[in-house]
Amino acid sequence: CSLPNGLGFGGTLDHPRFFIPETLEHGSADFMDRSFESGDLLSTDARDTFDIAHIEVWGVGGTDVIEAALVAREDHRTLEQAVLERARTVSDKQAFVSDLQSGLIPNRLYTHTKDVRGRQEFRVDEKHGGYVVEE
């Protein structure tokens, strides 16, 4: 279970009572939790979600701490991107294609081969610039 990214209070780690996501869109506020007294945190017409129109942010720790945090965030994002790129790269393409052809990886790419079984096979004949039917 991954924790949500944002600012939360009360509730549990994976579901805070009051939560502002990192996008600042679709925040949530529940009616009750075990940390605070029950009651509405938002007006009744807002129900349990809200969008932020204005926000005031205060930094604590000085410029050095903020700059170090920004560098750490960029390093984390760079590492995360590298991991995603590595996961998207197929190192042994022939093995991957073989797995697709064999049906080990479920797909419909090679279903046409079952339809043409029993017909005459053909091959590419580069010498004559076309296809040759094998009998």
Side-chain angles (χ1 to χ4, degrees), residues 16-114:
R17 179 175 181 194
F18 180 80
F19 183 69
I20 300 172
E22 66 181 339
T23 61
L24 303 179
E25 299 174 321
H26 311 298
S28 62
D30 289 339
F31 179 77
M32 61 182 277
D33 70 301
R34 294 182 181 178
S35 302
F36 300 101
E37 184 177 323
S38 297
D40 289 326
L41 298 175
L42 303 174
S43 62
T44 54
D45 61 325
R47 302 211 174 187
D48 60 350
T49 62
F50 60 91
D51 288 329
I52 295 176
H54 304 282
I55 188 167
E56 182 176 335
V57 179
W58 291 46
V60 179
T63 306
D64 295 342
V65 173
I66 294 170
E67 287 176 0
L70 291 173
V71 167
R73 181 182 70 179
E74 186 60 33
D75 291 347
H76 175 74
R77 287 180 176 172
T78 301
L79 176 63
E80 197 172 55
Q81 188 63 34
V83 168
L84 284 173
E85 287 300 318
R86 205 172 357 184
R88 291 180 181 140
T89 303
V90 178
S91 58
D92 187 357
K93 292 173 179 57
Q94 185 55 46
F96 180 71
V97 171
S98 296
D99 289 346
L100 285 174
Q101 288 174 328
S102 70
L104 182 63
I105 300 173
N107 69 81
R108 294 177 37 190
L109 290 174
Y110 295 96
T111 54
H112 68 281
T113 56
K114 294 176 186 172

